[in-house]
C-alpha cells in the first residue's frame, strides 16, 4: 500500500544520502518538499549514523512550488557561508526560504527577505519540528 511505498522511498533516500555524503567534503541535504528534508554529514556516514530529518516549516499556505529549491539553496548558503551558522541553522534557514517562496505564484514574486526569514525562524522554534 501507500505506507509501504512511502517507507521504501524514505529508505532509498537514506541510502542516497549516505552515498552522497561519502563523496562530498562536508555534508549533503536532500529536500523532500512538504515532507521536509534530511541532512547527512560525511562524518555521520563514516560513523554509521542515520541522516538527521527536519520537518517542513509549519504555518505555510503553499500556492506554487516554482523556485522553492533555489530559495532553499539561497537560504542555506546565506546562513552557513555568509553568516557562519551551523549546518542545522543553515538547513532551517533554507527550509524557511523555500517555504516562503511557495506562498505566491511564480519563482520571483516572493523572494524571502532577511526580515521575513528571521520572523519565520522565530515562529518555527516555538513548536518542535516533526521528522520526514
Amino acid at each position: 500500500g501507500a505506507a509501504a511505498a512511502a517507507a521504501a522511498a524514505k529508505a532509498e533516500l537514506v541510502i542516497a544520502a549516505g552515498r552522497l555524503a561519502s563523496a562530498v567534503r562536508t555534508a549533503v541535504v536532500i529536500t523532500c518538499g512538504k515532507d521536509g528534508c534530511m541532512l547527512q554529514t560525511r562524518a555521520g556516514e563514516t560513523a554509521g549514523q542515520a541522516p538527521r530529518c527536519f520537518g517542513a516549516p509549519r504555518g505555510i499556505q503553499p500556492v506554487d512550488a516554482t523556485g522553492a529549491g533555489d530559495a532553499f539553496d539561497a537560504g542555506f548558503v546565506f546562513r552557513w557561508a555568509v553568516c557562519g551558522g551551523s549546518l542545522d541553522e543553515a538547513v532551517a534557514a533554507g527550509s524557511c526560504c523555500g517555504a516562503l517562496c511557495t506562498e505566491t505564484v511564480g519563482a520571483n514574486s516572493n523572494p524571502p527577505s532577511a526580515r521575513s526569514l528571521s520572523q519565520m525562524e522565530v515562529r518555527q522554534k516555538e513548536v518542535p519540528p516533526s521528522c520526514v
Side-chain angles (χ1 to χ4, degrees), residues 70-126:
D70 292 333
F72 177 97
D73 293 345
F76 182 94
V77 169
F78 173 75
R79 181 67 73 225
W80 191 41
V82 176
C83 299
S86 69
L87 283 173
D88 286 1
E89 291 168 334
V91 168
S95 293
C96 288
C97 285
L100 286 168
C101 181
T102 68
E103 292 192 309
T104 57
V105 175
N108 295 317
S109 58
N110 190 32
S113 66
R115 181 182 172 138
S116 64
L117 171 59
S118 178
Q119 290 171 339
M120 179 171 229
E121 287 176 323
V122 168
R123 286 195 317 264
Q124 297 308 306
K125 289 179 183 176
E126 294 171 358

Side-chain angles (χ1 to χ4, degrees), residues 6-85:
K10 181 178 178 183
E12 288 179 22
L13 286 176
V14 168
I15 291 167
R19 287 183 181 153
L20 288 169
S22 293
V24 298
R25 187 172 182 192
T26 305
V28 63
V29 178
I30 298 177
T31 59
C32 304
K34 65 178 178 55
D35 294 323
C37 62
M38 60 178 63
L39 166 71
Q40 179 59 293
T41 63
R42 185 172 187 173
E45 174 61 19
T46 301
Q49 299 170 346
R52 292 199 314 272
C53 297
F54 295 81
R58 297 160 305 281
I60 298 298
Q61 300 300 317
V63 176
D64 181 4
T66 304
D70 292 333
F72 177 97
D73 293 345
F76 182 94
V77 169
F78 173 75
R79 181 67 73 225
W80 191 41
V82 176
C83 299

